[in-house]
Amino acid sequence: MHARQWHLLTALGVVALTLPHTAAAQVSYARAEQLLNWNTDRLVSGDVVQPEWLKDGNRFWYRNKLADGSEFVLVDPVTNSRRPLFDHVRLARAMTLASDTAFDAKKLPFQTFRFGRDATDENEIEFAAVRKRFVCNITTYACAVGDTLPSDVPYVASPDKKLEAFVHRNNLWVRNRETKKDSVQLTTDGVDYNAYGITMPRPSQLQRPMPVRPTLRWSPDSRRIAVLRQDERYVEQMHYISYTFQRPRHYTQPYALPGDTAVPYPRVHVVEVASKANVEIKLPVRPGMLSIGGSVRDSAWAENSQKLHLSWLMRGSKAVYLAEIDAATGTSRIVARDTGKTYVEIANPQDPASFYVTKDLKDAFWWSERDGWGHLYRFDGAGVANITADPKKMSLAPEPKAQITSGAWQVGQVSYVDEVLRQVYFTGRGRDGFLYYPKLYRVNYDGTGLTLLTPEDGHHVITFSPSGKYFVDSYSRVESPPVTTLRSSATGAVLRKLEEADVSRLKVVGWRAAQVFNVKARDGITDIYGVLYLPPNIDSTKKYPIISHIYPGPQVGSVGSWSFKNGGEPFSLAELGFVVIQLDHLGTPLRSKAFHDNYYGFFGDNGLPDHIAAIKQLGSKYGFIDTDRVGIFGHSGGGFASTDAMLRYPDFFKVAVSGAGNHDNRSYNIYWAEKYQGLMEKDTTRKTDNFESSANKSMAKNLRGKLLLTHGDMDDNVHPAMTVQLVDELIKANKSFDMVWAPNRNHGLNEPYFIRVRWDYFVQHLLGATPPVNYEIKQPVDGGVRPFLPGWESLDDGFPFWKPFQASW
């Protein structure tokens, strides 16, 4: 195919693609479709336990998936009991009577709810279903139904439950929580692109409006509000055109690129509700990214409501800070700081930010990689004043009181701090068992008494009770489904098994467990690990093409979470006759700092030398793998990497499907691009910069295999200009390629159509088979249920919850 005749594939049709050789296999899209997540999730029961803790700090409820529906369960750790939260049959009957709509007791049409208005009346629950608001007494089983749902204005309730804070016309307001009246405007200077608590909506948000929770935190005494304010007034705009309207529509958003001088400026204000006094926090250095929040039960506000704790990253993630703020004056004292030659992290990229300041303000726990591994350090909570970014004043930076964990392993997140017993509970990887499986540990403030509490070699997801006496532990392995237990925090002993996932129905549709493998990295020394997906009924006398499903990171690896994998596109491609791998190569997180830094400053690496090394080693181990037929695919960073593979290693990779790739990171956002590539450095003599050698368009002339590019024209994360620029260079180089342009789509592109096109491309060009013509993959649709109740708050921290509805299977 001549470059000037490259194919534009849209939802209107698919052009014919040239077969590299005659059809060699029969493929079943119907079987492959059954292994996509939206189907396999329905075939597993008992695999999701998300405890919602009650006010006493020990009891909790959760919604449990059953084979034929769901149930709501109440657990009391004190009495070690588990029972239905309510009578599901009686509640369904009461709902039916109240609304004149039939409801099934095993398929109640809500996923979450709240108790009575003060969250203490456990006899009454309130929830949304069939676009109505239900208030049901679960003692008498009588329901009242409102015709309308609560206001779509998202709010954050005050701790005393008397007021709720919200943003209107760029300014901060409060109103009576009970009556929704008596609104009071607290700020007046909020404007577009410099508003309180919100940023201007992105194009995708304008197209599909959804309520957005304001970024703010109430003080514990309900007298002050800390609110984030991001100034984007001077940031240059990115432009988008949606062509699906009769008159195409234009959208813009502020979007800072590497090398820009005008970038967003985040600030925090503390507003006193009664007086409307507005104090802007004074930080010693300008932040690049700033967050309001702690890691454990929210240590952002001190218990006395006089101090606030903030953490922020400098531009390019060259330094990270934790500060104590005086809420009355806005002055700050630096509690902890890290700097680095490459970049610094505030936590493992897959874990929540892990700082915690004790209630007495004497100790602060801080995650740091300063010794080459992620560990916990204890700092003086009082901090140091007047710290700056000036290297000459580095000696003023706070030094830790103690390093409380150490060794060649990685701390994950702080899960709970017992301030009475002076102990810290945290997750850690690589100390006991498989290096990617997080387990729960406990250590004393001084670093003594390190104790493993969850010895099972699996991926542990830990949720502590507010009292700290118990925790819920869901653990699984890549190949083994979750088991969820209730455990004692004192000993780690299992008090009760809550659920054990059932995958029997999953096996009926042909699911086979993925396999963890390890090989040597490009250096021939370092062990690296991945997940292998094999076709059914492998014939060892035949050869099977292999596909690498890549996400290069560096903020996450191709494997993603090292927990149970019940389905997804790698399973589907294996069903179609491919060997598929996901590999966490050099440069991905969760291991040492040196491992993570591997290709800092050169995006073009993308871990690809490790994928080549891994595939060659697997080919030597398994004779049925055809290392002459190698494909690769990925989305976003994976789209960038898969195209990079075709251009940088054209002799090895033969077919690629590249989705929404950030092909030239000079056009990607500063927060990611500058962090992992470094701040832009221009060479005016040679008219280049340190980003150019990693840009895919600079290697367009190298393309030899089959490349399919996909991108949404309203992608407000990775701008479609990056794919257009690549296309331009491919045309100039007279290269043949294929393309799917996705009208009016943003970044995801996980619709059935785009999945099917990916399958078609690999089946035809790598497997050598003929795909079914216009096969339609069907995604389940669950309609008629409002996904959330705007403004409702969770039971523990006063923030609205946003829990998308999932079908009640």
Side-chain angles (χ1 to χ4, degrees), residues 119-275:
T120 59
D121 183 3
E122 296 178 15
N123 294 318
E124 183 178 273
I125 61 173
E126 189 174 1
F127 54 87
V130 294
R131 300 196 62 81
K132 295 180 180 179
R133 178 169 55 185
F134 285 74
V135 179
C136 297
N137 187 298
I138 54 175
T139 301
T140 63
Y141 289 94
C143 292
V145 180
D147 292 331
T148 59
L149 289 167
S151 165
D152 278 344
V153 177
Y155 63 80
V156 181
S158 60
D160 63 10
K161 307 301 181 184
K162 294 179 180 179
L163 298 175
E164 56 191 33
F166 62 98
V167 174
H168 176 63
R169 294 183 178 176
N170 300 318
N171 281 291
L172 182 64
W173 297 63
V174 293
R175 67 185 177 192
N176 184 288
R177 181 172 178 266
E178 184 68 29
T179 66
K180 309 296 182 185
K181 297 179 180 179
D182 304 320
S183 296
V184 177
Q185 185 173 352
L186 298 183
T187 66
T188 58
D189 59 335
V191 295
D192 285 354
Y193 303 109
N194 193 22
Y196 287 88
I198 61 171
T199 56
M200 294 298 290
R202 294 164 58 162
S204 58
Q205 293 170 316
L206 291 170
Q207 288 185 303
R208 302 167 184 84
M210 292 283 285
V212 177
R213 175 180 61 82
T215 305
L216 58 88
R217 295 263 182 175
W218 283 90
S219 62
D221 62 8
S222 300
R223 294 180 177 181
R224 291 186 174 105
I225 300 171
V227 57
L228 184 65
R229 190 182 189 192
Q230 179 137 302
D231 190 350
E232 299 178 300
R233 288 173 293 176
Y234 309 107
V235 179
E236 288 196 53
Q237 300 280 324
M238 279 287 212
H239 298 266
Y240 307 81
I241 301 291
S242 177
Y243 293 98
T244 55
F245 300 96
Q246 201 65 40
R247 185 183 298 277
R249 295 181 182 177
H250 174 242
Y251 299 90
T252 67
Q253 67 169 333
Y255 195 107
L257 300 179
D260 282 359
T261 54
V263 300
Y265 190 172
R267 298 177 174 91
V268 171
H269 291 244
V270 174
V271 181
E272 189 172 347
V273 175
S275 67

Side-chain angles (χ1 to χ4, degrees), residues 611-628:
H611 288 252
I612 294 171
I615 290 170
K616 287 180 177 179
Q617 290 171 68
L618 290 171
S620 297
K621 182 177 181 180
Y622 301 109
F624 54 80
I625 292 179
D626 187 349
T627 56
D628 289 326

Side-chain angles (χ1 to χ4, degrees), residues 704-734:
R704 291 209 297 272
K706 302 296 295 185
L707 172 62
L708 172 62
L709 301 169
T710 68
H711 215 125
D713 64 4
M714 292 297 293
D715 188 337
D716 52 14
N717 179 2
V718 176
H719 199 284
M722 282 183 262
T723 292
V724 172
Q725 292 163 14
L726 173 61
V727 164
D728 185 42
E729 293 302 322
L730 289 169
I731 291 173
K732 290 176 182 177
N734 194 35

Side-chain angles (χ1 to χ4, degrees), residues 268-467:
V268 171
H269 291 244
V270 174
V271 181
E272 189 172 347
V273 175
S275 67
K276 302 183 185 178
N278 186 339
V279 176
E280 182 179 329
I281 302 303
K282 303 176 184 68
L283 299 177
V285 291
R286 173 172 170 159
M289 297 180 68
L290 187 151
S291 64
I292 307 177
S295 63
V296 185
R297 316 307 304 177
D298 181 18
S299 66
W301 274 102
E303 194 173 46
N304 63 13
S305 296
Q306 304 303 310
K307 305 293 183 180
L308 175 70
H309 299 104
L310 300 179
S311 63
W312 72 91
L313 285 158
M314 298 290 289
R315 184 169 179 178
S317 297
K318 295 297 184 184
V320 61
Y321 292 81
L322 172 65
E324 178 191 87
I325 311 298
D326 186 298
T329 65
T331 56
S332 61
R333 297 177 65 86
I334 302 302
V335 174
R337 181 183 69 175
D338 273 316
T339 60
K341 292 181 179 179
T342 56
Y343 55 87
V344 292
E345 303 279 13
I346 200 166
N348 270 322
Q350 293 187 28
D351 296 316
S354 279
F355 77 77
Y356 181 81
V357 181
T358 56
K359 294 177 182 178
D360 60 13
L361 304 179
K362 292 182 178 179
D363 292 292
F365 296 96
W366 180 251
W367 185 96
S368 170
E369 291 181 297
R370 59 182 59 197
D371 75 347
W373 297 85
H375 283 297
L376 291 178
Y377 295 77
R378 181 164 63 100
F379 283 83
D380 187 339
V384 177
N386 301 319
I387 299 297
T388 73
D390 186 346
K392 296 179 181 179
K393 297 180 181 179
M394 285 294 187
S395 60
L396 296 178
E399 290 297 324
K401 294 179 181 179
Q403 180 175 351
I404 64 172
T405 64
S406 62
W409 54 283
Q410 197 83 347
V411 167
Q413 69 181 84
V414 175
S415 298
Y416 184 77
V417 178
D418 187 327
E419 298 188 31
V420 175
L421 296 179
R422 296 175 63 81
Q423 295 175 325
V424 180
Y425 293 79
F426 64 92
T427 58
R429 297 175 175 88
R431 187 179 186 274
D432 302 278
F434 182 50
L435 65 87
Y436 282 112
Y437 286 152
K439 300 181 179 184
L440 185 69
Y441 295 84
R442 182 180 61 228
V443 69
N444 296 323
Y445 276 20
D446 61 2
T448 63
L450 181 64
T451 304
L452 173 64
L453 297 173
T454 56
E456 301 87 354
D457 200 24
H459 184 282
H460 292 260
V461 178
I462 306 296
T463 309
F464 262 80
S465 67
S467 71

